[in-house]
Structure formats: structure tokens, C-alpha cells
Amino acid sequence: MTNHTEEPLESEKKALNFIETIIEEDNLSGKHSGRVHTRFPPEPNGYLHIGHAKSICLNFGTAAKYGGKCNLRFDDTNPEKEETEYVDSIMEDVRWLGFQWDKEPYYASDYFQQLYDWAVLLIQKGLAYVDDQPQEEISRQRGTPTRPGIESPYRSRSVEENLDLFTRMKNGEFPNGSRVLRARIDMTSPNMHMRDPVMYRILHAEHHRTGDTWKIYPMYDYAHGQSDYFEGITHSLCTLEFEVHRPLYDWFLDQLIDTAYRPRQIEFARLNLSYTVMSKRKLLELVRSKIVNGWDDPRMPTIAGLRRRGYTPASIRAFADRIGVAKRDNVIDVGLLEFSIREDLNKTAPRVMAVVDPLKLVITNYPEGQIEEVELVNNPEEPESGSRTIPFGREIYIEREDFMVDPPAKFFRLGPGREVRLKGAYVVRCESFEADKNGVVQKVLCTYDPETKSGSGPKQPKVKGTLHWVEASTAVTAEVRLYDRLFMDEDPAGHKDQDALEFLNPDSLKVVSNCMAEPMLAHVQAGDKFQFQRIGYFCADPDTRPGKPVFNKTVGLKDAWAKMAQKDGQ
RNA sequence: UGCCCGAUGGUGUAAUUGGCAACACGUCUGACUCUGGAUCAGAAGAGUUCAGGUUCGACCCCUGAUCGGGCAACCA
């Protein structure tokens, strides 16, 4: 089913979520003879986001856990909004997350004929009728949540007339919006969805798969449950807003089938992430208005965006696992997502030397023109990853924020008279510095002690700080794109009078073009992930060209000093 | 002024057919460290929205209230 079943030990110990509880009860009662078959049913009208990832992990993961299957089904009943581009991106994203659907992808549009035949059946049973009224009138007659609706004057048409009209609707004899087919249920139902819901509307539109063969298209409510039925779905998992649709989901099935097998709709709470918007509409708006650079902008909560940002499938699966599933509304701290990717990359990402904001440091007593190779471990978390050498010399770059002219006592880095270790190399002492007329430091002058060479040196003094650095003459210039949250408000879409866009973070993207990196980074491939020592995790962007690497900051390392400094500042 | 759903530390999720609340993230200590990362050790933090009821015993069952969310596309 999927390549990523949990460790048996762990999954056995873990408490069941409410869906698993239902499944186990079903298995006990023999309801589906132990069969578990789920489906992930996206509408191909946009890119998948982290909220969908939750649903994907839930549907595929649950099926896998019980040795079942999971279908990928495109819910493509609205030709006006759906496009092949989205179908392709959705398949790519699901695969990338590490899941494999049963057989070929399914499409609700594959069932158009059967759905049509069943609609005819409903008409014959007197359970559906053609309504000639305009949309506004139908809407008015529907009533309100607190007021019952009234019946359409067309509600009691003869079966023959309904059949004739419906056939002609199908044949394209009527213009868009002129008629609909409605289920004949109960206009006084306290559940709005049961007040003679629309089953079919006339749409003279080009469908991405069926072209122009259909002039009428089924509505979600009429298509979904039956699609589940056709595919043998046992547990149809969807989000909470469909809870009130469930009676309708069951009603259609009740009228149409009499088998013992019946799919069951189960609702769970969708994912909300702090400092993030999750609706497709809002995301589309960000793309269209060019606030971000496309669906895969690394600031987007889309799967494509997270991928480009440097997130791994495993980290997203771990995240989905950690947040759990329940029915209550929830807001997950984005910090948890960040924790998940740090956890993964800490174990797997090679450590490299790169200076994001370079400040020149000259070792005045180091021989001019001399370059030596120093050895560095590739990943201390993974000893088998070995080590490499990088050049060291008289002139190097250090991080600008690692030097202070007048540092406080707790600043364990460089300042006049202070000593610090250059990771993998020597201990240096700051003798002086040069600044321009504005007081901006241009150069730090140090002396080094040749006896303190990392590992081999006879003197290994304890120093409070260790800095990362890059040798100047061999450094590779890299572009680095630093990302911060797109929104400054915890719940940007949660304000009644203000649009989410009012909370945009003006500094969500900072491009730094003169970063200095160790030589090997000239040859990275898009998607390569690294830990820039002491800074954070970075991922080579597709914009990378030979010798001209471009990196996206995936997430920063935890920074105890920054936290301390921030606290003192407050 | 209707119907449906929900309510457990800061956040999220548990507590398996009622036995005085667990785990993860976060927070705070301390140890270790040639990444102020990681790791390790420890701590604080909820008495389960409220009020009744059933029971020897209630997060769990019942009643009522409060609060929060959803529902009036020819969207999904």
C-alpha cells in the first residue's frame, strides 16, 4: 500500500484515534469482512496544501495500517474550475509524499453515465424533478436555517414530463441556468441540505476529460456517495463541514441501492496552522496578485512550496502523525511543523560552512598566500558520512553578527581582546578592527596560535565560542533566500473586518546575493539539503546554475543567544 | 431564533467497554559540547467549561446551561 508503515512496535503501543476505533469496531462486527478501503478525493482546482497532506496521510495511512487500499479520486464535477494542470500537480504531490494509490487514479467524471442513469431511476420513482425556476427563486424558496422552505410549483410534475425535460437538458436543448434537476425530499427539513437539493445543473462547458459530451453536471452531493459506492469505499473520510451533508449522502444511497455493503462518511477536523492561511481561495489570491511567486513559492503552505522550501516527505508524514485526528477545531503551532523538519534534517543533512552576512577577518600572523586544508566532519549525527577537507587561509569571512565592538559578557563570540575557535581550524584572538566613517565594521584583525590546530595541535584551550567561517580566496558566492512567515498575525483569516492580506509580513523574503560558501557548494543540485553550520537548514533551489548556487532557507537552527538577546531587549 | 458538531496543561492528542489524567511540541533548570544546534537529566504547568444527577467511585453515563464551530452556491 504505502512504503511507510510505522514500526510495528510503535503502532501497537499507540492509542487509536476515533476513526481507527470505528474501523476496529467494524472489523469486530464483521461489517465489511475486515476490508478497509479509503479514498483521497481532491477537486483538481488548485494545488494541494499541508491541510491536504493531513488528509492524505490519514487516508493512505489508515488503509495501510489495516492492510487495506486507498484510491486517489479526482472530484471533477465542476468543469468551470477544474484543470489538467492541477490533476498533474496533485498526482505528483501525493507520490512525493510517499503514497501510492490503488490501481489508476479514479475520476468522478468516469461515473457520469451511471450517475445519469441513476438520476433517471430517481425520477421514475418520483424522487426527483426538473425545476424551471431561476436560481434566485429557488434560493428564496429554500428558506433560511430558522425558517422552513416552500415547495416549488414544479415539484409535482409528472414522471413523463420530468423524464422528457431531463433528457432534453442532457441533450443540450436548454441554456445554462434555465433548469435543474432536484431531489424531492423535504422543503421543511431543519437541515438545509435536505430541502430538495440540486442534483444536476446545465453547464455548456468543456470538461477536462469528457470534453463537450455532457451538457449537465452532477453536484457534489449527488456524486460523492455514489462514487464511493462504485469504488467499494468502506470509510469515507472528509472534513467537518460535510457533517450536515451526511444525511443526504445516506439518503441517495438509501434510494438507489439495497446491498448490505454501504460506505460510511466520517468527518474529522481540518488542519489549521498558526500564521498561515489555508483556503484554496486565499492561496489562489496570493498567487494571482503576485504577492508570492507561484504555487511553489517556498513561503506557501502548499506541498509544492514546502518541497521547494526544503521540507522532506518524511518530515511532513511525521508532522501529520504528531498532530493526530479528532473532531474538535484546532490550530497547530507552525513551530511543530518546523520541529518536524529540523528533527529530520538534523539526522540527515550534511553540515557545511557558509557565511550569510560576510565580514572579513584577517589573521595578521598567518603566512600570506598560504592555504592549508583542514578536516571537518560531514555530519556528527551520522558518523558513517565521514569527513572532508576545506581550505583555510589568512583571510576568511565570518558572520557579521558574530562580532561586536562592545560585546556583553554573555556574548560568547568575537570582540576586541576576545578569543574564539574557528571551527576545525585554530583559536584566534581579536586584536583590533577597522570601521568606516559610519561606524560599520569593515574588517576584523586577529592573531592565531598555530599550536591550537583542531585535533592535532598541542594546545587545546577551552574557549567559550566556536565560529563558522569560509576562506576568502576560494569561497563560492551564493545567493541565499531567507524566508520568514508570510503573515504577522496568528490567525490572518480570522478577522471579521480585516482581510488576511492586511497582515502580510513585508519581510517574508530577504534575498542575500553575496553569501560566501565553501568550495564544494559550487556543485550542488536543486533539492540538495544542507545544514549551514550554526545557521540553519538550506535547500538548493531549482534556480541554481552551475557555479551559481541558490539556496532557500528551510528553517533556522534553534538559537539560544537570539532568544536571550530578545528577552533582555524586552 | 432552527438543526448538526465540539469542549482535557500554552498548543495538539490520549486515558480500550467508569478506578483520582498520559504523551508530544513549547517553556524553565542543569550537564555535556570545536554548531549557544543535537544529546542527556530534571522541573513547572490541567484536576478535564459550568451546575446538578446516577454510582462505592465520573474526563468517561444522564439532564440543563455556557462557550466555540458548521449549515441558507446551479462550489467542493
Side-chain angles (χ1 to χ4, degrees), chain A residues 77 192 201 323 328 351 410 412 454 531 534 563:
Chain A
T77 56
M192 297 291 294
R201 75 282 214 188
I323 60 177
R328 81 182 80 140
R351 317 281 121 133
K410 285 192 170 172
F412 300 155
S454 187
Q531 185 199 93
R534 296 212 310 135
K563 184 182 277 183

mmCIF file of all heavy atoms in Angstrom, chain A residues 77 192 201 323 328 351 410 412 454 531 534 563, chain B residues 2 8 12 27-28 34-36 72 74-76:
data_model
loop_
_atom_site.group_PDB
_atom_site.id
_atom_site.type_symbol
_atom_site.label_atom_id
_atom_site.label_comp_id
_atom_site.label_asym_id
_atom_site.label_seq_id
_atom_site.Cartn_x
_atom_site.Cartn_y
_atom_site.Cartn_z
ATOM 1 N N THR A 77 -16.469 17.335 -10.887
ATOM 2 C CA THR A 77 -17.847 17.515 -11.352
ATOM 3 C C THR A 77 -18.147 18.951 -11.748
ATOM 4 O O THR A 77 -19.270 19.266 -12.105
ATOM 5 C CB THR A 77 -18.838 17.090 -10.247
ATOM 6 O OG1 THR A 77 -18.553 17.835 -9.062
ATOM 7 C CG2 THR A 77 -18.717 15.610 -9.963
ATOM 8 N N MET A 192 -30.841 22.240 5.982
ATOM 9 C CA MET A 192 -30.968 22.940 4.699
ATOM 10 C C MET A 192 -30.639 22.051 3.498
ATOM 11 O O MET A 192 -31.177 22.229 2.414
ATOM 12 C CB MET A 192 -30.017 24.151 4.675
ATOM 13 C CG MET A 192 -30.298 25.218 5.704
ATOM 14 S SD MET A 192 -31.831 26.128 5.392
ATOM 15 C CE MET A 192 -31.439 26.982 3.872
ATOM 16 N N ARG A 201 -27.044 20.476 -12.782
ATOM 17 C CA ARG A 201 -27.215 21.795 -13.383
ATOM 18 C C ARG A 201 -26.738 21.719 -14.818
ATOM 19 O O ARG A 201 -25.927 20.857 -15.181
ATOM 20 C CB ARG A 201 -26.482 22.873 -12.595
ATOM 21 C CG ARG A 201 -24.970 22.929 -12.745
ATOM 22 C CD ARG A 201 -24.246 21.887 -11.944
ATOM 23 N NE ARG A 201 -22.962 22.386 -11.456
ATOM 24 C CZ ARG A 201 -22.052 21.636 -10.858
ATOM 25 N NH1 ARG A 201 -22.258 20.333 -10.692
ATOM 26 N NH2 ARG A 201 -20.939 22.161 -10.446
ATOM 27 N N ILE A 323 0.212 15.493 14.912
ATOM 28 C CA ILE A 323 -0.947 16.352 15.194
ATOM 29 C C ILE A 323 -2.213 15.555 15.473
ATOM 30 O O ILE A 323 -3.148 16.056 16.059
ATOM 31 C CB ILE A 323 -1.229 17.344 14.045
ATOM 32 C CG1 ILE A 323 -1.522 16.584 12.744
ATOM 33 C CG2 ILE A 323 -0.055 18.275 13.852
ATOM 34 C CD1 ILE A 323 -1.883 17.501 11.592
ATOM 35 N N ARG A 328 -12.550 18.108 17.039
ATOM 36 C CA ARG A 328 -12.646 19.478 17.534
ATOM 37 C C ARG A 328 -11.747 20.399 16.703
ATOM 38 O O ARG A 328 -10.712 20.002 16.204
ATOM 39 C CB ARG A 328 -12.268 19.533 19.002
ATOM 40 C CG ARG A 328 -10.776 19.556 19.250
ATOM 41 C CD ARG A 328 -10.463 19.557 20.729
ATOM 42 N NE ARG A 328 -10.565 18.218 21.261
ATOM 43 C CZ ARG A 328 -9.707 17.734 22.161
ATOM 44 N NH1 ARG A 328 -8.735 18.462 22.620
ATOM 45 N NH2 ARG A 328 -9.848 16.511 22.599
ATOM 46 N N ARG A 351 26.642 18.851 7.135
ATOM 47 C CA ARG A 351 26.956 20.180 7.652
ATOM 48 C C ARG A 351 27.973 20.817 6.717
ATOM 49 O O ARG A 351 28.927 20.142 6.295
ATOM 50 C CB ARG A 351 27.575 20.119 9.045
ATOM 51 C CG ARG A 351 26.951 19.142 10.052
ATOM 52 C CD ARG A 351 25.695 19.577 10.712
ATOM 53 N NE ARG A 351 24.656 18.611 10.417
ATOM 54 C CZ ARG A 351 23.816 18.086 11.324
ATOM 55 N NH1 ARG A 351 23.892 18.410 12.570
ATOM 56 N NH2 ARG A 351 22.868 17.272 10.952
ATOM 57 N N LYS A 410 27.906 37.907 28.163
ATOM 58 C CA LYS A 410 27.351 36.627 27.744
ATOM 59 C C LYS A 410 27.475 36.352 26.250
ATOM 60 O O LYS A 410 26.981 35.342 25.757
ATOM 61 C CB LYS A 410 25.880 36.559 28.143
ATOM 62 C CG LYS A 410 25.707 36.318 29.617
ATOM 63 C CD LYS A 410 24.274 35.955 29.931
ATOM 64 C CE LYS A 410 24.169 35.471 31.385
ATOM 65 N NZ LYS A 410 22.759 35.299 31.767
ATOM 66 N N PHE A 412 29.316 34.966 23.591
ATOM 67 C CA PHE A 412 30.450 34.053 23.518
ATOM 68 C C PHE A 412 31.100 34.056 22.140
ATOM 69 O O PHE A 412 31.459 33.004 21.619
ATOM 70 C CB PHE A 412 30.011 32.626 23.825
ATOM 71 C CG PHE A 412 29.419 32.479 25.201
ATOM 72 C CD1 PHE A 412 28.525 31.442 25.462
ATOM 73 C CD2 PHE A 412 29.764 33.342 26.229
ATOM 74 C CE1 PHE A 412 27.976 31.290 26.733
ATOM 75 C CE2 PHE A 412 29.222 33.197 27.502
ATOM 76 C CZ PHE A 412 28.320 32.165 27.755
ATOM 77 N N SER A 454 42.928 22.424 15.349
ATOM 78 C CA SER A 454 41.865 21.492 15.728
ATOM 79 C C SER A 454 42.369 20.054 15.708
ATOM 80 O O SER A 454 42.979 19.608 14.753
ATOM 81 C CB SER A 454 40.706 21.657 14.739
ATOM 82 O OG SER A 454 39.610 20.893 15.162
ATOM 83 N N GLN A 531 22.973 21.568 6.233
ATOM 84 C CA GLN A 531 22.897 22.456 7.381
ATOM 85 C C GLN A 531 24.044 23.433 7.244
ATOM 86 O O GLN A 531 25.211 23.018 7.199
ATOM 87 C CB GLN A 531 23.044 21.700 8.707
ATOM 88 C CG GLN A 531 22.847 22.648 9.892
ATOM 89 C CD GLN A 531 23.407 22.123 11.198
ATOM 90 O OE1 GLN A 531 24.554 22.415 11.555
ATOM 91 N NE2 GLN A 531 22.619 21.337 11.903
ATOM 92 N N ARG A 534 25.662 26.312 12.282
ATOM 93 C CA ARG A 534 25.260 27.352 13.231
ATOM 94 C C ARG A 534 24.147 28.274 12.729
ATOM 95 O O ARG A 534 23.732 29.181 13.440
ATOM 96 C CB ARG A 534 26.461 28.214 13.664
ATOM 97 C CG ARG A 534 27.528 27.423 14.433
ATOM 98 C CD ARG A 534 28.240 28.271 15.459
ATOM 99 N NE ARG A 534 28.709 29.496 14.870
ATOM 100 C CZ ARG A 534 28.569 30.688 15.431
ATOM 101 N NH1 ARG A 534 28.003 30.803 16.603
ATOM 102 N NH2 ARG A 534 29.008 31.755 14.835
ATOM 103 N N LYS A 563 17.372 34.199 21.509
ATOM 104 C CA LYS A 563 16.275 34.192 22.475
ATOM 105 C C LYS A 563 16.649 35.008 23.714
ATOM 106 O O LYS A 563 15.876 35.810 24.208
ATOM 107 C CB LYS A 563 15.987 32.734 22.883
ATOM 108 C CG LYS A 563 14.801 32.608 23.801
ATOM 109 C CD LYS A 563 14.569 31.174 24.212
ATOM 110 C CE LYS A 563 13.790 30.400 23.181
ATOM 111 N NZ LYS A 563 13.510 29.023 23.630
ATOM 112 P P G B 2 -33.999 28.042 18.883
ATOM 113 O OP1 G B 2 -34.607 27.056 19.789
ATOM 114 O OP2 G B 2 -32.570 28.387 19.057
ATOM 115 O "O5'" G B 2 -34.226 27.513 17.391
ATOM 116 C "C5'" G B 2 -35.443 26.804 17.057
ATOM 117 C "C4'" G B 2 -35.230 25.988 15.807
ATOM 118 O "O4'" G B 2 -34.794 26.865 14.737
ATOM 119 C "C3'" G B 2 -34.128 24.928 15.888
ATOM 120 O "O3'" G B 2 -34.638 23.723 16.433
ATOM 121 C "C2'" G B 2 -33.748 24.739 14.434
ATOM 122 O "O2'" G B 2 -34.685 23.943 13.741
ATOM 123 C "C1'" G B 2 -33.864 26.183 13.905
ATOM 124 N N9 G B 2 -32.590 26.914 13.953
ATOM 125 C C8 G B 2 -32.269 27.946 14.781
ATOM 126 N N7 G B 2 -31.049 28.402 14.586
ATOM 127 C C5 G B 2 -30.551 27.621 13.560
ATOM 128 C C6 G B 2 -29.297 27.656 12.917
ATOM 129 O O6 G B 2 -28.333 28.401 13.128
ATOM 130 N N1 G B 2 -29.186 26.681 11.928
ATOM 131 C C2 G B 2 -30.184 25.798 11.601
ATOM 132 N N2 G B 2 -29.904 24.939 10.634
ATOM 133 N N3 G B 2 -31.368 25.769 12.193
ATOM 134 C C4 G B 2 -31.487 26.700 13.151
ATOM 135 P P U B 8 -10.819 21.297 25.277
ATOM 136 O OP1 U B 8 -10.230 22.630 25.516
ATOM 137 O OP2 U B 8 -10.572 20.591 24.018
ATOM 138 O "O5'" U B 8 -10.397 20.344 26.465
ATOM 139 C "C5'" U B 8 -10.733 20.684 27.802
ATOM 140 C "C4'" U B 8 -9.916 19.864 28.744
ATOM 141 O "O4'" U B 8 -10.125 18.455 28.476
ATOM 142 C "C3'" U B 8 -8.413 20.026 28.581
ATOM 143 O "O3'" U B 8 -7.944 21.160 29.285
ATOM 144 C "C2'" U B 8 -7.895 18.743 29.193
ATOM 145 O "O2'" U B 8 -7.944 18.799 30.603
ATOM 146 C "C1'" U B 8 -8.932 17.728 28.695
ATOM 147 N N1 U B 8 -8.547 17.071 27.438
ATOM 148 C C2 U B 8 -7.640 16.021 27.538
ATOM 149 O O2 U B 8 -7.181 15.651 28.598
ATOM 150 N N3 U B 8 -7.303 15.441 26.349
ATOM 151 C C4 U B 8 -7.750 15.787 25.098
ATOM 152 O O4 U B 8 -7.359 15.159 24.124
ATOM 153 C C5 U B 8 -8.682 16.886 25.081
ATOM 154 C C6 U B 8 -9.035 17.467 26.226
ATOM 155 P P G B 12 -5.267 23.761 20.321
ATOM 156 O OP1 G B 12 -6.115 24.228 19.212
ATOM 157 O OP2 G B 12 -5.799 23.772 21.714
ATOM 158 O "O5'" G B 12 -4.738 22.288 20.046
ATOM 159 C "C5'" G B 12 -4.588 21.845 18.715
ATOM 160 C "C4'" G B 12 -3.789 20.561 18.675
ATOM 161 O "O4'" G B 12 -2.634 20.653 19.534
ATOM 162 C "C3'" G B 12 -4.465 19.301 19.167
ATOM 163 O "O3'" G B 12 -5.399 18.794 18.230
ATOM 164 C "C2'" G B 12 -3.260 18.382 19.319
ATOM 165 O "O2'" G B 12 -2.784 17.956 18.058
ATOM 166 C "C1'" G B 12 -2.228 19.344 19.914
ATOM 167 N N9 G B 12 -2.218 19.224 21.375
ATOM 168 C C8 G B 12 -2.810 20.054 22.297
ATOM 169 N N7 G B 12 -2.634 19.642 23.534
ATOM 170 C C5 G B 12 -1.890 18.478 23.407
ATOM 171 C C6 G B 12 -1.407 17.586 24.398
ATOM 172 O O6 G B 12 -1.541 17.649 25.626
ATOM 173 N N1 G B 12 -0.697 16.530 23.838
ATOM 174 C C2 G B 12 -0.486 16.356 22.496
ATOM 175 N N2 G B 12 0.222 15.273 22.154
ATOM 176 N N3 G B 12 -0.928 17.181 21.564
ATOM 177 C C4 G B 12 -1.622 18.211 22.089
ATOM 178 P P U B 27 10.850 26.890 23.581
ATOM 179 O OP1 U B 27 11.439 28.127 23.031
ATOM 180 O OP2 U B 27 11.633 25.632 23.617
ATOM 181 O "O5'" U B 27 10.327 27.163 25.066
ATOM 182 C "C5'" U B 27 9.465 28.268 25.324
ATOM 183 C "C4'" U B 27 9.117 28.311 26.792
ATOM 184 O "O4'" U B 27 8.286 27.168 27.128
ATOM 185 C "C3'" U B 27 10.301 28.194 27.733
ATOM 186 O "O3'" U B 27 10.963 29.439 27.888
ATOM 187 C "C2'" U B 27 9.632 27.714 29.018
ATOM 188 O "O2'" U B 27 8.983 28.775 29.675
ATOM 189 C "C1'" U B 27 8.567 26.758 28.460
ATOM 190 N N1 U B 27 9.025 25.358 28.433
ATOM 191 C C2 U B 27 8.974 24.644 29.627
ATOM 192 O O2 U B 27 8.586 25.129 30.666
ATOM 193 N N3 U B 27 9.401 23.350 29.530
ATOM 194 C C4 U B 27 9.867 22.693 28.406
ATOM 195 O O4 U B 27 10.212 21.511 28.478
ATOM 196 C C5 U B 27 9.896 23.502 27.217
ATOM 197 C C6 U B 27 9.486 24.774 27.273
ATOM 198 P P C B 28 12.556 29.459 28.051
ATOM 199 O OP1 C B 28 12.971 30.873 27.941
ATOM 200 O OP2 C B 28 13.165 28.431 27.173
ATOM 201 O "O5'" C B 28 12.745 28.982 29.559
ATOM 202 C "C5'" C B 28 12.085 29.673 30.607
ATOM 203 C "C4'" C B 28 12.288 28.922 31.892
ATOM 204 O "O4'" C B 28 11.521 27.692 31.858
ATOM 205 C "C3'" C B 28 13.709 28.454 32.124
ATOM 206 O "O3'" C B 28 14.501 29.507 32.645
ATOM 207 C "C2'" C B 28 13.509 27.308 33.107
ATOM 208 O "O2'" C B 28 13.288 27.764 34.417
ATOM 209 C "C1'" C B 28 12.218 26.679 32.569
ATOM 210 N N1 C B 28 12.462 25.557 31.658
ATOM 211 C C2 C B 28 12.680 24.291 32.230
ATOM 212 O O2 C B 28 12.664 24.190 33.460
ATOM 213 N N3 C B 28 12.890 23.230 31.422
ATOM 214 C C4 C B 28 12.899 23.397 30.099
ATOM 215 N N4 C B 28 13.111 22.311 29.345
ATOM 216 C C5 C B 28 12.686 24.664 29.490
ATOM 217 C C6 C B 28 12.477 25.711 30.304
ATOM 218 P P C B 34 34.449 20.371 23.123
ATOM 219 O OP1 C B 34 35.513 19.346 23.135
ATOM 220 O OP2 C B 34 34.148 21.143 24.347
ATOM 221 O "O5'" C B 34 34.762 21.369 21.916
ATOM 222 C "C5'" C B 34 34.045 22.584 21.821
ATOM 223 C "C4'" C B 34 33.816 22.914 20.370
ATOM 224 O "O4'" C B 34 35.097 23.210 19.728
ATOM 225 C "C3'" C B 34 33.167 21.799 19.577
ATOM 226 O "O3'" C B 34 32.190 22.371 18.718
ATOM 227 C "C2'" C B 34 34.296 21.255 18.712
ATOM 228 O "O2'" C B 34 33.847 20.769 17.465
ATOM 229 C "C1'" C B 34 35.131 22.514 18.495
ATOM 230 N N1 C B 34 36.515 22.253 18.136
ATOM 231 C C2 C B 34 36.898 22.571 16.829
ATOM 232 O O2 C B 34 36.069 23.062 16.068
ATOM 233 N N3 C B 34 38.167 22.345 16.452
ATOM 234 C C4 C B 34 39.024 21.816 17.309
ATOM 235 N N4 C B 34 40.265 21.620 16.878
ATOM 236 C C5 C B 34 38.658 21.477 18.649
ATOM 237 C C6 C B 34 37.391 21.706 19.009
ATOM 238 P P U B 35 30.657 22.028 19.046
ATOM 239 O OP1 U B 35 30.376 22.651 20.332
ATOM 240 O OP2 U B 35 30.392 20.595 18.841
ATOM 241 O "O5'" U B 35 29.895 22.843 17.915
ATOM 242 C "C5'" U B 35 30.448 24.051 17.402
ATOM 243 C "C4'" U B 35 29.321 24.893 16.857
ATOM 244 O "O4'" U B 35 28.765 24.217 15.707
ATOM 245 C "C3'" U B 35 28.177 25.100 17.851
ATOM 246 O "O3'" U B 35 27.683 26.416 17.719
ATOM 247 C "C2'" U B 35 27.116 24.108 17.389
ATOM 248 O "O2'" U B 35 25.814 24.588 17.621
ATOM 249 C "C1'" U B 35 27.369 24.052 15.889
ATOM 250 N N1 U B 35 26.973 22.786 15.297
ATOM 251 C C2 U B 35 26.058 22.853 14.251
ATOM 252 O O2 U B 35 25.618 23.903 13.828
ATOM 253 N N3 U B 35 25.697 21.647 13.747
ATOM 254 C C4 U B 35 26.138 20.409 14.162
ATOM 255 O O4 U B 35 25.711 19.399 13.598
ATOM 256 C C5 U B 35 27.087 20.423 15.246
ATOM 257 C C6 U B 35 27.448 21.584 15.765
ATOM 258 P P G B 36 27.813 27.442 18.956
ATOM 259 O OP1 G B 36 27.667 28.740 18.305
ATOM 260 O OP2 G B 36 29.010 27.113 19.753
ATOM 261 O "O5'" G B 36 26.513 27.226 19.829
ATOM 262 C "C5'" G B 36 26.452 26.264 20.851
ATOM 263 C "C4'" G B 36 25.387 26.672 21.836
ATOM 264 O "O4'" G B 36 25.769 27.944 22.402
ATOM 265 C "C3'" G B 36 24.027 26.883 21.190
ATOM 266 O "O3'" G B 36 23.013 26.556 22.143
ATOM 267 C "C2'" G B 36 23.963 28.383 20.929
ATOM 268 O "O2'" G B 36 22.654 28.925 21.000
ATOM 269 C "C1'" G B 36 24.775 28.911 22.119
ATOM 270 N N9 G B 36 25.423 30.188 21.821
ATOM 271 C C8 G B 36 25.946 30.650 20.654
ATOM 272 N N7 G B 36 26.434 31.854 20.752
ATOM 273 C C5 G B 36 26.219 32.198 22.071
ATOM 274 C C6 G B 36 26.524 33.369 22.771
ATOM 275 O O6 G B 36 27.062 34.391 22.345
ATOM 276 N N1 G B 36 26.128 33.296 24.089
ATOM 277 C C2 G B 36 25.518 32.213 24.677
ATOM 278 N N2 G B 36 25.209 32.318 25.953
ATOM 279 N N3 G B 36 25.221 31.105 24.041
ATOM 280 C C4 G B 36 25.600 31.170 22.749
ATOM 281 P P A B 72 -24.602 26.993 3.355
ATOM 282 O OP1 A B 72 -24.230 26.552 2.005
ATOM 283 O OP2 A B 72 -23.798 28.012 4.076
ATOM 284 O "O5'" A B 72 -26.105 27.497 3.333
ATOM 285 C "C5'" A B 72 -27.095 26.724 2.673
ATOM 286 C "C4'" A B 72 -28.312 27.564 2.429
ATOM 287 O "O4'" A B 72 -28.883 27.960 3.699
ATOM 288 C "C3'" A B 72 -28.047 28.894 1.709
ATOM 289 O "O3'" A B 72 -28.035 28.708 0.321
ATOM 290 C "C2'" A B 72 -29.216 29.744 2.159
ATOM 291 O "O2'" A B 72 -30.386 29.456 1.425
ATOM 292 C "C1'" A B 72 -29.396 29.269 3.594
ATOM 293 N N9 A B 72 -28.669 30.099 4.561
ATOM 294 C C8 A B 72 -27.476 29.836 5.173
ATOM 295 N N7 A B 72 -27.073 30.774 5.993
ATOM 296 C C5 A B 72 -28.076 31.720 5.916
ATOM 297 C C6 A B 72 -28.249 32.959 6.556
ATOM 298 N N6 A B 72 -27.389 33.466 7.433
ATOM 299 N N1 A B 72 -29.359 33.658 6.260
ATOM 300 C C2 A B 72 -30.235 33.155 5.376
ATOM 301 N N3 A B 72 -30.181 31.993 4.716
ATOM 302 C C4 A B 72 -29.068 31.326 5.043
ATOM 303 P P C B 74 -27.727 26.582 -5.418
ATOM 304 O OP1 C B 74 -28.602 27.737 -5.603
ATOM 305 O OP2 C B 74 -28.061 25.538 -4.411
ATOM 306 O "O5'" C B 74 -27.549 25.853 -6.834
ATOM 307 C "C5'" C B 74 -26.811 24.654 -6.936
ATOM 308 C "C4'" C B 74 -26.189 24.549 -8.306
ATOM 309 O "O4'" C B 74 -27.268 24.637 -9.274
ATOM 310 C "C3'" C B 74 -25.216 25.677 -8.613
ATOM 311 O "O3'" C B 74 -24.187 25.155 -9.427
ATOM 312 C "C2'" C B 74 -26.062 26.658 -9.429
ATOM 313 O "O2'" C B 74 -25.316 27.379 -10.369
ATOM 314 C "C1'" C B 74 -26.986 25.690 -10.180
ATOM 315 N N1 C B 74 -28.261 26.288 -10.586
ATOM 316 C C2 C B 74 -28.487 26.472 -11.949
ATOM 317 O O2 C B 74 -27.608 26.103 -12.737
ATOM 318 N N3 C B 74 -29.643 27.026 -12.366
ATOM 319 C C4 C B 74 -30.555 27.393 -11.485
ATOM 320 N N4 C B 74 -31.674 27.937 -11.951
ATOM 321 C C5 C B 74 -30.354 27.236 -10.077
ATOM 322 C C6 C B 74 -29.203 26.676 -9.679
ATOM 323 P P C B 75 -22.687 25.686 -9.270
ATOM 324 O OP1 C B 75 -22.607 27.089 -9.656
ATOM 325 O OP2 C B 75 -21.922 24.657 -9.980
ATOM 326 O "O5'" C B 75 -22.379 25.560 -7.702
ATOM 327 C "C5'" C B 75 -21.869 24.348 -7.183
ATOM 328 C "C4'" C B 75 -20.365 24.451 -7.046
ATOM 329 O "O4'" C B 75 -20.060 25.487 -6.090
ATOM 330 C "C3'" C B 75 -19.683 23.233 -6.488
ATOM 331 O "O3'" C B 75 -19.457 22.291 -7.506
ATOM 332 C "C2'" C B 75 -18.396 23.831 -5.949
ATOM 333 O "O2'" C B 75 -17.474 24.070 -7.004
ATOM 334 C "C1'" C B 75 -18.875 25.177 -5.415
ATOM 335 N N1 C B 75 -19.169 25.147 -3.969
ATOM 336 C C2 C B 75 -18.113 25.319 -3.057
ATOM 337 O O2 C B 75 -16.977 25.449 -3.506
ATOM 338 N N3 C B 75 -18.366 25.312 -1.736
ATOM 339 C C4 C B 75 -19.613 25.144 -1.292
ATOM 340 N N4 C B 75 -19.808 25.153 0.012
ATOM 341 C C5 C B 75 -20.703 24.965 -2.191
ATOM 342 C C6 C B 75 -20.448 24.970 -3.509
ATOM 343 P P A B 76 -19.747 20.781 -7.251
ATOM 344 O OP1 A B 76 -19.629 20.126 -8.564
ATOM 345 O OP2 A B 76 -20.996 20.647 -6.465
ATOM 346 O "O5'" A B 76 -18.546 20.328 -6.328
ATOM 347 C "C5'" A B 76 -17.201 20.404 -6.796
ATOM 348 C "C4'" A B 76 -16.272 20.319 -5.607
ATOM 349 O "O4'" A B 76 -16.543 21.446 -4.741
ATOM 350 C "C3'" A B 76 -16.487 19.103 -4.718
ATOM 351 O "O3'" A B 76 -15.791 17.978 -5.193
ATOM 352 C "C2'" A B 76 -15.962 19.601 -3.380
ATOM 353 O "O2'" A B 76 -14.553 19.555 -3.336
ATOM 354 C "C1'" A B 76 -16.423 21.059 -3.392
ATOM 355 N N9 A B 76 -17.721 21.223 -2.721
ATOM 356 C C8 A B 76 -18.968 21.042 -3.240
ATOM 357 N N7 A B 76 -19.934 21.259 -2.388
ATOM 358 C C5 A B 76 -19.289 21.605 -1.226
ATOM 359 C C6 A B 76 -19.753 21.956 0.060
ATOM 360 N N6 A B 76 -21.040 22.016 0.384
ATOM 361 N N1 A B 76 -18.834 22.250 1.009
ATOM 362 C C2 A B 76 -17.544 22.193 0.678
ATOM 363 N N3 A B 76 -16.980 21.877 -0.493
ATOM 364 C C4 A B 76 -17.916 21.592 -1.410
#
